[in-house]
Amino acid sequence: MVEINTENYVAEAHKAIANPVLQRALADVQDRFHKATAAAYHTLPEGPALRFKAHQIRMQAIANLDILLETLAANVRYNGGHVFFAEDGKTARDYCLAVARRHRVKLVVKGKSMVTEEIGLNQALADGWIEVAETDLGEYIIQLAGERPFHIIGPAIHKTRNEVGQLFAEKLGIPFTHDPPTLAQAARKILRAKFLQADMGISGCNLACAETGHITTVSNEGNIRLATTLPRVHVAFMGMERIAARLEDHDVLLRLLCRGATAQKLATYISYIGGPRASDQTDGPDEFHLIILDNGRRRILADPEFREILGCIRCAACLNVCPVYGQIGGHAYGFPYSGPVGAVVTPLLVGINRAQHLCLGETLCGACQEACPVDIDIPRMLLALRAKLADGDPLWKVKRANPMEKAIFQIWSGLIRNRRIYELSLRLAAVGQKCLPQRNGMLRRLPPPLHGWTRSRDIKPLAAETFIQRWKKKRRVRGIHP
Amino acid sequence: MPAKQKVTLFVQCLVDGIYPEVGQAMVDIFDKLGIQVLCPPAQTCCGQPAFNSGYRREARIAARRFIAIFEKAEVVVCPSGSCVNMVRNHYAELFRADSQWLPRVDNLAAKTFELTEFLVDVLGVVDLGARYGGRMTYHDSCHLLRGLGVRAQPRKLLQNVSGAQFSEMKDSERCCGFGGGFALKYPDISAAMLEVKVQNIMESGADTVVGCDMGCLMNIQGMLSRQGSAIKTMHVAQIIAG
């Protein structure tokens, strides 16, 4: 149902690199959020080490997921809400559509939700003749443009105000302007009317709490609060991993989530939602449905090597520091989850072979883990995914990705086993390199499969003598055994 | 007074094959300090290229050989944070299910050091009386910085070099785009990252970019050379040996 374009990683990356407007937007976002988030961790009363505590909290919740989810469901039901455990995207979409049909829903207002992007909910609703209005300004912009989120929390950061102005002029019929307040007002006016007309509100869930039986939504525009209180029915989608056991754990994670996402101590609007409007309350929906989505997460949970990625709270702090994301942007990842977290979670959700570029096309620099509010070891899992691609893996149904490369490393492992043969191969290469074009003592072109290197840089040739050879010679001169 | 009197050199393969002068600079540094230098001539590679590409069987072949060669050493010193990170942090992952090799890994990991952390943290040396006539900037290599936590040590050593000026570049901690096989498999993404790094180096006003890992420096040098820049790339050992 949802489009998967992970195979186009390289082509899409090239497009982004060649687009100077995009490059500037990415540099701006990273410059702004990278340092601000690091500083925000340092102003925590508990200090930046709270990240390690949060890691423990997340891992404990993941280890007890079955009990926590049952507790959450029981509490939500007690408060009059409905809970549905959806095994996959289709089951989740069908449930939501069935609720919509039962209530004769014509218009849905939505708060930003990555999990609904993951399952292609908007398309399913549209196919069911239900109008969907995204109400987060960034998400509204990309909905009008027919695009995918470019960033997990800033879906339209790649759009300039000129582009948004043109888009609004074309799709909303307003006179062209590139003045941000005027554009925001135009969207606000249209969305206000939608909020009032809508029969159903759909939201994601940033975090749930088992003990209290509530879900939490976080926004800076207030749109989620409107979307979840005004319409008659509220349907919330949550990934099955987004849960804390106790309110005190929830509190720690929420504070870190806001810092990781936008370097705020707390976002402007935080809502705790425990069910439909109670009889003594004036606001809120008549019906509340919580859809808890598996869609491949149980398989991740079952593998101790990758379980840690379920600790992710989708704050996007890793996107704001990743030097690869900083060049290629969000669309290259070919699935709603981009950046370092996308590089791990997308292969696990859509297939490791299919999304191989995502985990191979990273430098393992580790900036993501350092920025992560819950200290997830993303580089470790990138390496583990690469190991599956290198030799295949029956459990994850992975085929060996590159038999040629395997052969090269097998030969390499033979060469490095014997210094004499290793030395000889270096000598042969040193002779061979004399045929290559040189300038100022640097090689200008390397032969395949190394030729990519010299497309935009030179390389120093092999030395006439290795260090070890020099060393041995010197020792011999001095009469010392090496 | 140095705590250790004998060091064993773990010569990174890039130093061995392409930049032997960096190995020589290490030897000069220890000569200056009166520390005896050993260098097992059988060494080849620690296995990192295979490990990073996912070929763990091949990486284990290299690692077992490496351990056998170095495990008797008093202390092992290497001019690359990334190689030390492999031995110290990744060997345990490679042999996590191997009770025979794991103790040997732990033993070696505990006595393997990157050059600047060994000089500053173990020997307590921050000034080698070196001179350098130029303005330097320092690039933080990812695995040295995030894997080993080495940030201040090379800077301390560089700040004590007489005759030289030092200026930090913007985002010195941002990856240069090398990533080993990454630079060959995704050369254009790698080059785009490198362009940012080179730009920051140029804007720092330095005439020499200094680092602790020839992987990054080879990458940076490659683009500086292609762009016809006069900025030099030097390993920290070459600066402080002089």
Side-chain angles (χ1 to χ4, degrees), chain A residues 366-388:
Chain A
C368 45
Q369 184 177 6
E370 203 176 47
C372 176
V374 292
D375 189 40
I376 293 176
D377 194 346
I378 287 178
R380 179 187 65 74
M381 288 182 277
L382 290 172
L383 284 165
L385 285 166
R386 291 180 183 189
K388 304 230 177 289

Side-chain angles (χ1 to χ4, degrees), chain A residues 20-33:
Chain A
V21 176
L22 215 66
Q23 290 297 307
R24 208 165 42 241
L26 284 164
D28 279 353
V29 168
Q30 292 204 326
D31 262 353
R32 218 167 346 132
F33 285 109

Side-chain angles (χ1 to χ4, degrees), chain A residues 98-164:
Chain A
V99 174
R101 291 212 178 95
R102 205 160 58 238
H103 288 274
R104 299 181 196 287
V105 169
K106 290 189 195 67
L107 173 63
V108 168
V109 280
K110 263 187 85 200
K112 209 182 88 56
S113 152
M114 289 307 287
V115 95
T116 61
E117 297 279 348
E118 175 189 325
I119 62 172
L121 180 69
N122 287 9
Q123 190 57 50
L125 291 170
D127 292 347
W129 299 97
I130 296 167
E131 186 191 342
V132 183
E134 291 286 354
T135 62
D136 172 274
L137 181 56
E139 199 78 31
Y140 182 59
I141 292 168
I142 63 157
Q143 187 188 25
L144 289 178
E147 288 182 20
R148 237 186 207 161
F150 191 76
H151 184 283
I152 290 176
I153 63 150
I157 54 159
H158 60 303
K159 294 251 175 255
T160 61
R161 53 188 176 154
N162 263 317
E163 285 172 336
V164 176

Side-chain angles (χ1 to χ4, degrees), chain B residues 31-123:
Chain B
D31 282 351
K32 211 191 248 188
L33 291 168
I35 294 170
Q36 192 191 339
V37 179
L38 303 175
C39 181
Q43 63 179 292
T44 52
C45 176
C46 66
Q48 189 185 187
F51 180 75
N52 282 358
S53 296
Y55 298 94
R56 298 200 173 182
R57 269 173 233 174
E58 291 72 17
R60 267 190 284 271
I61 293 171
R64 281 195 203 99
R65 187 172 181 276
F66 184 91
I67 294 166
I69 290 173
F70 284 97
E71 65 187 340
K72 296 277 191 293
E74 202 172 296
V75 59
V76 179
V77 180
C78 173
S80 156
S82 166
C83 304
V84 173
N85 183 52
M86 177 71 197
V87 173
R88 196 184 290 173
N89 297 327
H90 292 318
Y91 273 14
E93 167 96 11
L94 266 183
F95 295 103
R96 67 184 163 183
D98 192 330
S99 58
Q100 192 197 335
W101 280 88
L102 212 46
R104 297 173 72 175
V105 165
D106 292 343
N107 160 53
L108 181 57
K111 60 184 179 186
T112 303
F113 297 91
E114 184 275 330
L115 175 67
T116 65
E117 71 170 348
F118 181 70
L119 290 174
V120 176
D121 298 346
V122 180
L123 298 183

Side-chain angles (χ1 to χ4, degrees), chain A residues 65 86-92 115 118-119 238-241 292-303 306-307 309-310 314 335 337 344-352 395-396:
Chain A
L65 207 48
E87 207 175 312
D88 54 22
K90 185 179 186 307
T91 328
V115 95
E118 175 189 325
I119 62 172
M238 75 176 258
M240 62 181 265
E241 78 284 6
I292 300 175
L293 183 71
D294 171 358
N295 208 29
R297 286 164 176 76
R298 262 195 302 181
R299 192 156 66 143
I300 301 175
L301 180 65
D303 190 333
F306 296 117
R307 191 174 291 160
I309 198 64
L310 294 177
R314 303 284 191 272
F335 199 67
Y337 304 118
V344 174
V345 87
T346 300
L348 295 173
L349 291 178
V350 309
I352 298 173
L395 196 67
W396 283 91

Side-chain angles (χ1 to χ4, degrees), chain A residues 195-216:
Chain A
F195 279 124
L196 294 170
Q197 279 167 32
D199 318 285
M200 178 187 267
I202 291 179
S203 76
C205 158
N206 289 95
L207 200 58
C209 180
E211 173 184 64
T212 58
H214 80 266
I215 65 154
T216 301

Side-chain angles (χ1 to χ4, degrees), chain B residues 109-179:
Chain B
K111 60 184 179 186
T112 303
F113 297 91
E114 184 275 330
L115 175 67
T116 65
E117 71 170 348
F118 181 70
L119 290 174
V120 176
D121 298 346
V122 180
L123 298 183
V125 172
V126 290
D127 190 349
L128 282 138
R131 280 194 65 81
Y132 185 75
R135 179 182 281 275
M136 305 180 289
T137 190
Y138 176 74
H139 164 67
D140 285 279
S141 289
C142 298
H143 295 159
L144 178 70
L145 176 71
R146 300 188 188 90
L148 307 180
V150 172
R151 181 195 315 256
Q153 295 88 328
R155 287 183 170 82
K156 272 187 201 157
L157 289 162
L158 291 176
Q159 272 150 10
N160 285 312
V161 173
S162 61
Q165 290 165 297
F166 185 85
S167 47
E168 289 282 356
M169 70 174 94
K170 179 175 182 257
D171 295 337
S172 67
E173 301 180 359
R174 195 177 172 93
C175 176
C176 70
F178 176 54

